[in-house]
Amino acid sequence: MHELSLAEGVLQLIEDAAHRDGFKKVSTVWLEIGQLSAVEPEALAFCFDAVTRGTVADGARLEIITLPGQGWCEVCARTLPMTELYGECPDCGVFPLEVTVGTEMRVKELEVS
Ligand SMILES: [Zn+2]
């Protein structure tokens, strides 16, 4: 399952940060996810709960921030909003647009204690 490996990746980032910064407990995790990354936030939250049991992030609240997708049209030389991974340019019809924002996932902030 896609979300399970993502949740494990997030936990890895948290554990790296805990090791680096020396905190013992995470209470909230703000996670940025691109709109085009095909992640189900609810499924990810469920997997996150499961993989963090017994870790520094046990019981942590997961706040998911969705980043709107953006693409670049070479022909029109401009940035366009994108709502799906394979979009075409509404002006010149170029397909598919090159995705510039929307497929990434990163931990934006951790609330620790
Ligand atoms: Zn175009």
Side-chain angles (χ1 to χ4, degrees):
M1 192 164 135
H2 185 51
E3 278 78 8
L4 184 58
S5 55
L6 289 177
E8 284 169 345
V10 173
L11 176 61
Q12 187 62 56
L13 291 172
I14 293 168
E15 288 189 325
D16 288 350
H19 185 69
R20 191 181 60 229
D21 301 338
F23 56 81
K24 297 271 180 284
K25 190 103 189 86
V26 178
S27 44
T28 312
V29 179
W30 283 270
L31 189 68
E32 285 183 335
I33 299 177
Q35 192 185 10
L36 311 178
S37 60
V39 174
E40 283 290 333
E42 280 175 27
L44 181 58
F46 180 81
C47 293
F48 182 78
D49 270 355
V51 300
T52 53
R53 246 165 242 155
T55 72
V56 290
D58 196 344
R61 205 154 49 94
L62 186 65
E63 294 282 345
I64 295 174
I65 302 157
T66 306
L67 297 178
Q70 275 183 9
W72 170 254
C73 178
E74 236 176 48
V75 179
C76 306
R78 67 186 184 108
T79 298
L80 301 151
M82 289 181 80
T83 53
E84 54 190 357
L85 199 49
Y86 298 100
E88 63 170 28
C89 177
D91 293 333
C92 70
V94 155
F95 177 88
L97 287 170
E98 187 191 331
V99 176
T100 52
V101 182
T103 56
E104 63 275 79
M105 184 184 77
R106 70 180 191 105
V107 174
K108 185 170 185 252
E109 207 180 320
L110 296 173
E111 186 177 60
V112 302
S113 50

XYZ file of all heavy atoms in Angstrom:
859
model
N 0.840 -1.192 0.000
C 0.000 0.000 0.000
C 0.881 1.251 0.000
O 1.783 1.409 0.805
C -0.909 -0.041 1.236
C -2.012 0.958 1.218
S -3.217 0.432 2.482
C -3.542 1.958 3.285
N 0.586 2.133 -0.914
C 1.279 3.393 -1.128
C 1.423 4.201 0.172
O 2.519 4.614 0.541
C 0.439 4.166 -2.141
C 1.028 5.445 -2.603
N 2.310 5.558 -3.073
C 0.489 6.688 -2.672
C 2.527 6.819 -3.417
N 1.459 7.510 -3.184
N 0.309 4.401 0.874
C 0.303 5.253 2.066
C 1.141 4.664 3.201
O 1.698 5.402 4.000
C -1.136 5.497 2.558
C -1.867 6.597 1.810
C -2.394 6.144 0.451
O -2.328 4.930 0.155
O -2.866 6.999 -0.302
N 1.221 3.326 3.261
C 1.994 2.699 4.331
C 3.482 3.029 4.191
O 4.143 3.399 5.154
C 1.775 1.176 4.344
C 2.456 0.430 5.492
C 1.990 0.950 6.846
C 2.203 -1.065 5.388
N 4.005 2.944 2.974
C 5.427 3.263 2.800
C 5.672 4.760 3.002
O 6.718 5.160 3.513
C 5.936 2.783 1.441
O 5.149 3.298 0.415
N 4.698 5.591 2.649
C 4.830 7.030 2.898
C 4.869 7.319 4.394
O 5.691 8.099 4.868
C 3.670 7.798 2.261
C 3.673 7.884 0.744
C 2.432 8.616 0.265
C 4.918 8.584 0.239
N 3.972 6.648 5.139
C 3.921 6.841 6.590
C 5.248 6.405 7.213
O 5.765 7.073 8.116
C 2.762 6.053 7.193
N 5.818 5.312 6.713
C 7.113 4.852 7.222
C 8.208 5.868 6.892
O 9.117 6.095 7.688
C 7.457 3.477 6.636
C 6.656 2.374 7.324
C 6.765 1.033 6.621
O 7.219 0.990 5.465
O 6.367 0.027 7.236
N 8.102 6.494 5.722
C 9.060 7.528 5.335
C 8.973 8.739 6.245
O 9.995 9.308 6.639
N 7.747 9.123 6.599
C 7.541 10.265 7.496
C 8.125 9.941 8.871
O 8.832 10.760 9.468
C 6.037 10.619 7.619
C 5.827 11.696 8.674
C 5.499 11.086 6.279
N 7.856 8.728 9.352
C 8.386 8.318 10.655
C 9.916 8.364 10.648
O 10.533 8.819 11.609
C 7.892 6.908 11.011
C 8.467 6.329 12.310
C 8.092 7.181 13.511
C 8.014 4.890 12.512
N 10.500 7.936 9.547
C 11.967 7.959 9.433
C 12.505 9.389 9.566
O 13.466 9.636 10.273
C 12.377 7.338 8.081
C 13.876 7.160 7.929
C 14.441 6.201 8.974
O 14.009 5.064 9.093
N 15.396 6.679 9.759
N 11.830 10.329 8.904
C 12.226 11.739 8.985
C 12.126 12.253 10.422
O 12.994 12.979 10.904
C 11.332 12.597 8.080
C 11.501 12.415 6.571
C 10.424 13.191 5.828
C 12.877 12.874 6.130
N 11.054 11.843 11.111
C 10.845 12.284 12.492
C 11.930 11.701 13.403
O 12.487 12.392 14.245
C 9.441 11.860 12.986
C 8.363 12.621 12.209
C 9.293 12.110 14.490
C 6.961 12.083 12.401
N 12.227 10.412 13.187
C 13.238 9.772 14.036
C 14.623 10.368 13.792
O 15.407 10.528 14.732
C 13.222 8.257 13.823
C 11.979 7.644 14.456
C 11.984 6.128 14.486
O 12.513 5.533 13.519
O 11.452 5.547 15.445
N 14.908 10.719 12.545
C 16.179 11.389 12.235
C 16.259 12.723 12.975
O 17.283 13.071 13.551
C 16.308 11.647 10.723
C 16.559 10.358 9.952
O 16.818 9.318 10.596
O 16.483 10.396 8.711
N 15.136 13.478 12.935
C 15.101 14.788 13.595
C 15.227 14.627 15.108
O 15.911 15.411 15.770
C 13.807 15.516 13.240
N 14.578 13.601 15.660
C 14.630 13.352 17.105
C 16.060 13.049 17.529
O 16.544 13.517 18.558
C 13.708 12.197 17.476
N 16.755 12.264 16.710
C 18.130 11.901 16.984
C 19.031 13.138 16.921
O 19.881 13.361 17.772
C 18.578 10.858 15.954
C 19.950 10.327 16.209
N 20.247 9.528 17.279
C 21.115 10.508 15.552
C 21.534 9.237 17.263
N 22.088 9.812 16.225
N 18.788 13.974 15.903
C 19.604 15.161 15.661
C 19.371 16.221 16.737
O 20.305 16.819 17.252
C 19.261 15.715 14.273
C 20.215 16.789 13.753
C 19.766 17.272 12.386
N 18.428 17.848 12.439
C 17.440 17.550 11.611
N 17.609 16.661 10.660
N 16.261 18.137 11.722
N 18.071 16.456 17.049
C 17.730 17.565 17.947
C 17.508 17.121 19.391
O 17.316 17.960 20.268
C 16.473 18.288 17.439
C 16.678 18.837 16.029
O 17.842 19.038 15.639
O 15.685 19.068 15.326
N 17.494 15.816 19.625
C 17.428 15.309 20.987
C 16.084 15.428 21.686
O 16.028 15.544 22.895
N 14.973 15.415 20.953
C 13.672 15.419 21.643
C 13.159 13.994 21.804
O 13.592 13.078 21.101
C 12.654 16.332 20.941
C 12.423 16.025 19.482
C 11.570 15.006 19.104
C 13.044 16.786 18.492
C 11.342 14.737 17.758
C 12.832 16.518 17.149
C 11.980 15.487 16.787
N 12.240 13.842 22.765
C 11.781 12.494 23.112
C 10.356 12.212 22.662
O 9.930 11.063 22.626
C 11.830 12.296 24.642
C 13.228 12.396 25.216
C 13.915 11.036 25.202
C 15.322 11.086 25.771
N 16.283 11.680 24.802
N 9.617 13.280 22.369
C 8.205 13.092 22.064
C 7.741 14.129 21.058
O 8.075 15.308 21.171
C 7.400 13.221 23.382
C 5.961 12.835 23.280
C 5.685 11.453 23.887
C 4.267 10.970 23.578
N 4.183 10.280 22.281
N 6.952 13.666 20.104
C 6.364 14.566 19.115
C 4.867 14.615 19.359
O 4.233 13.562 19.490
C 6.629 14.065 17.681
C 5.974 14.967 16.649
C 8.117 13.980 17.418
N 4.310 15.834 19.465
C 2.868 15.905 19.705
C 2.086 16.234 18.434
O 0.958 15.790 18.262
C 2.537 16.900 20.812
O 3.274 18.081 20.651
N 2.685 17.014 17.536
C 2.002 17.332 16.273
C 3.009 17.316 15.118
O 4.137 17.761 15.269
C 1.336 18.732 16.323
O 0.600 18.863 17.530
C 0.397 18.935 15.137
N 2.550 16.801 13.998
C 3.370 16.759 12.785
C 2.601 17.479 11.682
O 1.455 17.132 11.402
C 3.631 15.302 12.335
C 4.459 15.266 11.059
C 4.291 14.493 13.443
N 3.222 18.505 11.113
C 2.621 19.178 9.958
C 3.290 18.640 8.704
O 4.518 18.769 8.535
C 2.803 20.691 10.038
C 1.855 21.346 10.996
C 0.609 21.829 10.706
C 2.058 21.599 12.386
N 0.043 22.359 11.842
C 0.898 22.229 12.880
C 3.116 21.332 13.276
C 0.759 22.612 14.211
C 2.981 21.710 14.611
C 1.819 22.345 15.066
N 2.486 18.050 7.868
C 3.012 17.396 6.684
C 2.436 18.060 5.429
O 1.221 18.186 5.293
C 2.601 15.918 6.735
C 3.205 14.983 5.700
C 4.699 14.825 5.947
C 2.523 13.631 5.778
N 3.329 18.483 4.543
C 2.869 19.075 3.280
C 2.840 17.994 2.210
O 3.830 17.285 2.013
C 3.829 20.185 2.829
C 3.692 21.461 3.624
C 4.610 22.556 3.098
O 5.644 22.242 2.484
O 4.280 23.725 3.324
N 1.710 17.897 1.532
C 1.575 16.905 0.470
C 1.071 17.597 -0.790
O 0.085 18.342 -0.745
C 0.585 15.786 0.863
C 1.075 15.044 2.100
C 0.390 14.815 -0.287
C 0.128 13.977 2.578
N 1.742 17.372 -1.884
C 1.308 17.937 -3.153
C -0.015 17.322 -3.585
O -0.257 16.130 -3.404
N -0.854 18.168 -4.161
C -2.189 17.748 -4.604
C -2.117 16.650 -5.670
O -3.043 15.873 -5.834
C -2.899 18.990 -5.177
C -4.373 18.815 -5.428
C -4.972 20.043 -6.102
O -4.258 20.938 -6.549
N -6.284 20.066 -6.177
N -1.014 16.584 -6.408
C -0.908 15.640 -7.520
C -0.242 14.326 -7.118
O 0.015 13.479 -7.965
C -0.116 16.277 -8.671
C -0.566 17.690 -9.082
C 0.325 18.227 -10.180
C -2.019 17.684 -9.542
N 0.042 14.162 -5.834
C 0.802 12.980 -5.419
C -0.074 11.753 -5.190
O 0.422 10.688 -4.843
C 1.606 13.292 -4.159
O 0.730 13.674 -3.121
N -1.383 11.895 -5.368
C -2.310 10.769 -5.260
C -2.283 10.098 -3.888
O -2.416 8.896 -3.763
C -2.048 9.732 -6.361
N -2.091 10.909 -2.846
C -2.119 10.385 -1.479
C -3.516 10.602 -0.907
O -4.090 11.674 -1.050
C -1.084 11.110 -0.590
C -1.206 10.667 0.858
C 0.310 10.869 -1.117
N -4.054 9.564 -0.283
C -5.321 9.687 0.429
C -4.994 10.133 1.851
O -4.452 9.353 2.630
C -6.031 8.326 0.487
C -6.706 7.916 -0.798
C -7.925 8.776 -1.099
O -8.531 9.301 -0.147
O -8.250 8.912 -2.277
N -5.307 11.386 2.216
C -4.942 11.864 3.556
C -5.465 10.967 4.675
O -4.757 10.714 5.640
C -5.574 13.258 3.614
C -5.646 13.693 2.190
C -5.922 12.442 1.406
N -6.692 10.467 4.539
C -7.253 9.622 5.595
C -6.505 8.309 5.723
O -6.251 7.828 6.825
C -8.736 9.353 5.334
C -9.601 10.518 5.760
C -11.071 10.317 5.397
O -11.496 9.154 5.296
O -11.756 11.338 5.223
N -6.156 7.731 4.591
C -5.407 6.473 4.608
C -4.019 6.704 5.190
O -3.502 5.881 5.953
C -5.300 5.903 3.194
N -3.427 7.842 4.846
C -2.095 8.155 5.365
C -2.144 8.347 6.879
O -1.287 7.830 7.608
C -1.546 9.415 4.682
C -0.147 9.828 5.130
C 0.863 8.721 4.887
C 0.286 11.101 4.412
N -3.169 9.053 7.366
C -3.310 9.281 8.805
C -3.471 7.947 9.540
O -2.885 7.729 10.601
C -4.497 10.198 9.082
N -4.247 7.044 8.951
C -4.465 5.724 9.541
C -3.150 4.940 9.623
O -2.807 4.371 10.655
C -5.490 4.964 8.683
C -5.800 3.586 9.191
C -6.708 3.401 10.223
C -5.180 2.480 8.636
C -6.981 2.122 10.702
C -5.447 1.192 9.106
C -6.353 1.024 10.142
N -2.394 4.950 8.534
C -1.110 4.236 8.502
C -0.112 4.879 9.457
O 0.671 4.186 10.110
C -0.527 4.236 7.092
S -1.488 3.272 5.935
N -0.161 6.207 9.544
C 0.752 6.929 10.427
C 0.528 6.506 11.879
O 1.469 6.224 12.614
C 0.552 8.439 10.255
C 1.483 9.277 11.077
C 2.796 9.462 10.686
C 1.036 9.878 12.248
C 3.669 10.230 11.456
C 1.895 10.650 13.022
C 3.217 10.820 12.627
N -0.753 6.423 12.275
C -1.096 5.955 13.625
C -0.504 4.577 13.894
O 0.001 4.306 14.973
C -2.626 5.856 13.769
C -3.227 7.161 14.266
O -2.464 8.082 14.582
O -4.470 7.229 14.335
N -0.605 3.720 12.889
C -0.151 2.339 13.061
C 1.375 2.252 13.162
O 1.896 1.582 14.053
C -0.655 1.477 11.897
N 2.094 2.944 12.277
C 3.556 2.781 12.261
C 4.252 3.537 13.394
O 5.395 3.232 13.715
C 4.210 3.178 10.905
C 3.672 2.330 9.776
C 4.068 4.652 10.609
N 3.562 4.543 13.994
C 4.241 5.332 15.025
C 4.049 4.751 16.430
O 4.613 5.270 17.383
C 3.741 6.796 15.031
O 2.317 6.799 15.135
C 4.175 7.527 13.778
N 3.263 3.697 16.559
C 3.048 3.108 17.883
C 4.382 2.687 18.514
O 5.170 1.982 17.879
C 2.113 1.892 17.766
C 0.784 2.176 18.473
C -0.286 1.187 18.097
N -1.400 1.871 17.441
C -2.245 1.297 16.603
N -2.103 0.046 16.283
N -3.223 1.996 16.080
N 4.614 3.154 19.728
C 5.841 2.787 20.430
C 7.071 3.583 20.005
O 8.182 3.277 20.399
N 6.878 4.614 19.174
C 7.999 5.458 18.726
C 7.872 6.851 19.358
O 6.919 7.099 20.114
C 7.994 5.628 17.188
O 6.913 6.491 16.834
C 7.834 4.291 16.480
N 8.798 7.743 19.019
C 8.722 9.125 19.534
C 7.446 9.830 19.081
O 7.021 10.799 19.703
C 9.928 9.998 19.089
C 11.194 9.560 19.778
C 10.092 10.005 17.581
N 6.846 9.344 18.019
C 5.649 9.993 17.482
C 4.361 9.262 17.869
O 3.302 9.515 17.308
C 5.746 10.109 15.959
N 4.450 8.386 18.858
C 3.265 7.660 19.328
C 2.200 8.660 19.788
O 2.469 9.520 20.621
C 3.665 6.738 20.494
C 2.586 5.684 20.780
O 1.447 5.851 20.302
O 2.896 4.705 21.471
N 1.017 8.553 19.217
C -0.090 9.417 19.616
C -0.032 10.827 19.037
O -0.874 11.661 19.358
N 0.953 11.094 18.167
C 1.073 12.439 17.594
C -0.082 12.728 16.644
O -0.600 11.832 15.974
C 2.402 12.575 16.855
N -0.464 13.991 16.603
C -1.508 14.432 15.691
C -0.870 14.728 14.335
O 0.182 15.365 14.266
C -2.151 15.710 16.245
C -3.557 15.985 15.814
C -4.254 16.855 16.871
N -3.419 18.012 17.224
C -3.539 19.219 16.635
N -4.405 19.421 15.689
N -2.758 20.226 17.013
N -1.480 14.247 13.274
C -0.957 14.491 11.936
C -1.812 15.550 11.251
O -3.010 15.360 11.044
C -0.980 13.187 11.128
C -0.344 13.229 9.748
C 1.149 13.493 9.825
C -0.597 11.923 8.998
N -1.177 16.702 10.952
C -1.882 17.780 10.257
C -1.403 17.780 8.813
O -0.225 18.014 8.544
C -1.559 19.136 10.895
C -2.077 19.299 12.312
C -3.576 19.594 12.345
O -4.139 19.955 11.292
O -4.163 19.455 13.434
N -2.311 17.511 7.900
C -1.923 17.425 6.493
C -2.275 18.726 5.768
O -3.408 19.206 5.826
C -2.589 16.209 5.821
C -2.043 14.929 6.462
C -2.338 16.225 4.311
C -2.703 13.660 5.996
N -1.254 19.313 5.144
C -1.436 20.552 4.380
C -1.308 20.186 2.897
O -0.275 19.662 2.474
C -0.348 21.578 4.755
C -0.376 21.868 6.264
C -0.486 22.859 3.930
C 0.934 22.398 6.808
N -2.337 20.449 2.135
C -2.289 20.121 0.716
C -1.756 21.304 -0.088
O -2.263 22.416 0.032
C -3.697 19.746 0.207
O -4.200 18.702 1.035
C -3.659 19.261 -1.229
N -0.726 21.043 -0.881
C -0.175 22.088 -1.747
C -0.827 21.971 -3.120
O -0.806 20.905 -3.723
C 1.338 21.896 -1.920
C 2.222 22.010 -0.687
C 3.664 21.725 -1.082
C 2.103 23.381 -0.060
N -1.402 23.062 -3.636
C -2.017 23.012 -4.961
C -0.972 22.687 -6.033
O 0.180 23.110 -5.921
C -2.573 24.422 -5.162
C -2.526 25.088 -3.831
C -1.485 24.385 -3.018
N -1.377 21.932 -7.037
C -0.469 21.559 -8.111
C -0.198 22.712 -9.069
O -1.040 23.584 -9.271
N 1.016 22.700 -9.631
C 1.385 23.690 -10.645
C 2.174 23.014 -11.752
O 2.949 22.096 -11.499
C 2.266 24.783 -10.025
C 1.495 25.896 -9.372
C 2.407 26.992 -8.842
O 3.590 27.001 -9.106
N 1.831 27.913 -8.102
N 1.949 23.498 -12.956
C 2.693 22.981 -14.095
C 3.279 24.118 -14.909
O 2.897 25.281 -14.744
N 4.196 23.738 -15.783
C 4.885 24.726 -16.608
C 4.626 24.410 -18.076
O 4.832 23.273 -18.512
C 6.385 24.690 -16.295
C 7.247 25.482 -17.236
C 8.058 24.975 -18.198
C 7.377 26.897 -17.302
N 8.682 25.994 -18.860
C 8.291 27.193 -18.328
C 6.790 27.957 -16.582
C 8.648 28.499 -18.662
C 7.146 29.256 -16.923
C 8.067 29.515 -17.946
N 4.127 25.405 -18.837
C 3.969 25.217 -20.276
C 5.124 25.917 -20.985
O 5.296 27.131 -20.865
C 2.642 25.779 -20.773
S 2.497 25.590 -22.572
N 5.897 25.092 -21.721
C 7.068 25.612 -22.426
C 6.671 26.535 -23.573
O 7.323 27.531 -23.859
C 7.837 24.427 -23.016
C 9.279 24.376 -22.584
C 9.928 23.118 -23.126
O 9.761 22.823 -24.337
O 10.582 22.437 -22.337
N 5.562 26.187 -24.223
C 5.120 26.950 -25.389
C 4.643 28.350 -24.979
O 5.040 29.351 -25.574
C 3.988 26.191 -26.137
C 3.507 26.986 -27.339
C 4.477 24.812 -26.561
N 3.817 28.396 -23.937
C 3.307 29.684 -23.473
C 4.274 30.355 -22.504
O 4.072 31.523 -22.153
C 1.962 29.516 -22.775
S 0.729 28.665 -23.766
N 5.288 29.608 -22.054
C 6.271 30.119 -21.096
C 5.596 30.677 -19.851
O 5.852 31.814 -19.443
C 7.197 31.148 -21.742
N 4.671 29.893 -19.300
C 4.068 30.339 -18.039
C 3.675 29.166 -17.152
O 3.569 28.022 -17.616
C 2.880 31.261 -18.292
C 1.683 30.606 -18.945
C 0.653 31.694 -19.259
N -0.570 31.105 -19.813
C -1.704 31.031 -19.122
N -1.786 31.455 -17.902
N -2.775 30.500 -19.687
N 3.456 29.506 -15.888
C 3.060 28.537 -14.870
C 1.542 28.482 -14.802
O 0.875 29.517 -14.849
C 3.652 28.963 -13.506
O 5.069 28.944 -13.617
C 3.218 28.030 -12.392
N 1.002 27.271 -14.709
C -0.444 27.090 -14.689
C -0.845 26.243 -13.494
O -0.091 25.363 -13.073
C -0.883 26.338 -15.961
C -0.535 27.008 -17.279
C -0.351 25.972 -18.358
C -1.618 27.993 -17.647
N -2.048 26.492 -12.956
C -2.529 25.600 -11.895
C -2.875 24.226 -12.477
O -3.367 24.141 -13.604
C -3.790 26.307 -11.372
C -4.205 27.234 -12.462
C -2.976 27.567 -13.272
N -2.584 23.168 -11.732
C -2.902 21.812 -12.200
C -3.680 21.074 -11.126
O -3.341 21.153 -9.950
C -1.621 21.030 -12.490
C -0.880 21.518 -13.715
S 0.593 20.515 -13.991
C -0.131 19.075 -14.800
N -4.707 20.354 -11.535
C -5.493 19.589 -10.563
C -5.298 18.091 -10.753
O -5.732 17.298 -9.936
C -6.992 19.918 -10.676
O -7.388 19.749 -12.041
C -7.280 21.362 -10.253
N -4.670 17.682 -11.839
C -4.365 16.266 -12.029
C -2.985 16.147 -12.663
O -2.486 17.098 -13.277
C -5.434 15.584 -12.893
C -5.645 16.279 -14.213
C -6.870 15.747 -14.960
O -7.506 14.806 -14.467
O -7.158 16.289 -16.031
N -2.391 14.948 -12.496
C -0.998 14.756 -12.871
C -0.758 14.959 -14.374
O 0.236 15.530 -14.777
C -0.574 13.345 -12.439
C 0.916 13.083 -12.316
C 1.611 14.159 -11.493
C 1.142 11.720 -11.690
N -1.692 14.479 -15.193
C -1.502 14.619 -16.636
C -2.495 15.639 -17.169
O -3.580 15.295 -17.607
C -1.652 13.272 -17.335
C -0.600 12.302 -16.857
C -0.901 11.343 -15.902
C 0.700 12.388 -17.323
C 0.073 10.473 -15.431
C 1.688 11.540 -16.862
C 1.366 10.580 -15.915
O 2.340 9.737 -15.443
N -2.092 16.918 -17.088
C -2.974 17.983 -17.538
C -2.465 18.569 -18.837
O -1.290 18.412 -19.188
N -3.356 19.231 -19.551
C -2.908 19.911 -20.767
C -3.042 21.414 -20.575
O -3.796 21.891 -19.740
C -3.707 19.440 -21.992
C -5.189 19.749 -21.919
C -5.884 19.493 -23.248
O -5.417 18.638 -24.006
O -6.888 20.175 -23.508
N -2.301 22.151 -21.387
C -2.341 23.601 -21.301
C -3.682 24.089 -21.858
O -4.058 23.728 -22.974
C -1.194 24.207 -22.106
S -1.233 26.007 -22.105
N -4.423 24.896 -21.094
C -5.735 25.350 -21.560
C -5.630 26.304 -22.753
O -6.596 26.491 -23.485
C -6.332 26.052 -20.335
C -5.165 26.416 -19.483
C -4.097 25.398 -19.754
N -4.460 26.878 -22.970
C -4.301 27.848 -24.058
C -3.809 27.217 -25.354
O -4.382 27.424 -26.411
C -3.354 28.974 -23.632
C -3.953 29.827 -22.520
O -5.200 29.889 -22.444
O -3.192 30.399 -21.741
N -2.733 26.419 -25.261
C -2.159 25.898 -26.509
C -2.343 24.383 -26.642
O -2.042 23.819 -27.692
C -0.675 26.256 -26.595
S 0.312 25.348 -25.405
N -2.817 23.718 -25.594
C -3.113 22.292 -25.693
C -1.919 21.378 -25.524
O -2.042 20.172 -25.737
N -0.768 21.906 -25.142
C 0.398 21.058 -24.907
C 0.052 19.990 -23.874
O -0.595 20.292 -22.872
C 1.606 21.913 -24.427
C 2.593 21.081 -23.610
C 2.312 22.533 -25.606
N 0.472 18.746 -24.137
C 0.165 17.649 -23.235
C 1.334 16.680 -23.171
O 1.874 16.334 -24.207
C -1.099 16.922 -23.722
C -1.450 15.726 -22.876
C -2.252 15.875 -21.755
C -0.950 14.470 -23.199
C -2.560 14.779 -20.967
C -1.266 13.370 -22.403
C -2.064 13.535 -21.294
N 1.717 16.164 -22.015
C 1.266 16.678 -20.708
C 2.146 17.830 -20.271
O 3.282 17.941 -20.707
C 1.471 15.481 -19.790
C 2.646 14.750 -20.391
C 2.623 15.023 -21.882
N 1.594 18.659 -19.403
C 2.382 19.754 -18.846
C 3.434 19.191 -17.907
O 3.239 18.149 -17.297
C 1.473 20.704 -18.055
C 0.549 21.585 -18.875
C -0.435 22.280 -17.946
C 1.330 22.614 -19.676
N 4.530 19.895 -17.817
C 5.584 19.504 -16.891
C 5.185 19.957 -15.483
O 4.961 21.138 -15.252
C 6.889 20.191 -17.323
C 8.094 19.737 -16.558
C 9.299 20.621 -16.838
O 9.371 21.188 -17.948
O 10.131 20.749 -15.941
N 5.080 18.990 -14.573
C 4.668 19.319 -13.208
C 5.831 19.976 -12.457
O 6.939 19.442 -12.440
C 4.211 18.051 -12.451
C 3.871 18.378 -10.995
C 3.027 17.420 -13.154
N 5.581 21.148 -11.872
C 6.634 21.821 -11.107
C 6.360 21.774 -9.602
O 7.276 21.755 -8.809
C 6.811 23.282 -11.554
O 5.534 23.933 -11.520
C 7.366 23.365 -12.959
N 5.093 21.777 -9.207
C 4.720 21.650 -7.791
C 3.553 20.679 -7.705
O 2.665 20.710 -8.551
C 4.245 23.009 -7.187
C 3.909 22.850 -5.696
C 5.302 24.087 -7.365
N 3.569 19.819 -6.690
C 2.372 19.002 -6.480
C 2.625 17.523 -6.290
O 1.706 16.783 -5.974
N 3.869 17.047 -6.475
C 4.111 15.615 -6.290
C 4.992 15.349 -5.069
O 5.333 14.217 -4.794
C 4.782 15.001 -7.534
O 5.975 15.727 -7.815
C 3.869 15.063 -8.736
N 5.340 16.410 -4.347
C 6.259 16.237 -3.233
C 5.537 15.976 -1.917
O 4.346 16.193 -1.782
C 7.172 17.465 -3.083
C 6.438 18.751 -2.746
C 5.909 19.456 -3.986
O 4.859 19.000 -4.480
O 6.508 20.423 -4.446
N 6.314 15.503 -0.949
C 5.806 15.361 0.401
C 6.940 15.701 1.346
O 8.044 15.212 1.173
C 5.363 13.925 0.652
C 4.730 13.748 2.016
S 4.305 12.043 2.388
C 5.906 11.365 2.781
N 6.693 16.591 2.298
C 7.739 16.871 3.269
C 7.167 17.257 4.624
O 6.040 17.745 4.718
C 8.700 17.958 2.756
C 8.087 19.319 2.687
C 9.083 20.348 2.172
N 8.551 21.675 2.368
C 8.960 22.514 3.322
N 9.914 22.171 4.152
N 8.405 23.696 3.461
N 7.967 17.011 5.648
C 7.584 17.410 6.997
C 7.904 18.886 7.128
O 9.047 19.295 6.994
C 8.343 16.584 8.057
C 8.040 17.109 9.455
C 7.974 15.111 7.947
N 6.868 19.694 7.342
C 7.049 21.136 7.411
C 7.483 21.561 8.806
O 8.361 22.400 8.950
C 5.732 21.840 7.041
C 5.843 23.334 6.971
C 4.575 23.933 6.369
C 4.716 25.428 6.186
N 3.897 26.174 7.158
N 6.858 20.973 9.809
C 7.134 21.385 11.180
C 6.781 20.274 12.143
O 5.880 19.480 11.872
C 6.269 22.618 11.475
C 6.856 23.543 12.522
C 5.947 24.734 12.773
O 5.379 25.259 11.797
O 5.818 25.113 13.947
N 7.480 20.225 13.252
C 7.180 19.268 14.311
C 6.974 20.025 15.606
O 7.752 20.926 15.918
C 8.349 18.291 14.512
C 8.714 17.349 13.369
C 9.985 16.609 13.726
C 7.581 16.376 13.083
N 5.928 19.670 16.338
C 5.782 20.200 17.692
C 6.284 19.120 18.625
O 5.769 17.998 18.618
C 4.315 20.525 17.974
C 4.118 21.216 19.308
C 2.653 21.602 19.531
O 1.811 20.698 19.535
O 2.379 22.791 19.673
N 7.325 19.449 19.379
C 7.984 18.425 20.192
C 7.952 18.795 21.672
O 7.689 19.940 22.031
C 9.460 18.229 19.750
C 9.528 17.856 18.290
C 10.287 19.457 20.042
N 8.213 17.794 22.497
C 8.318 18.079 23.921
C 9.409 17.210 24.526
O 9.888 16.297 23.880
C 6.980 17.816 24.617
O 6.503 16.548 24.272
Zn 0.544 26.468 -23.423
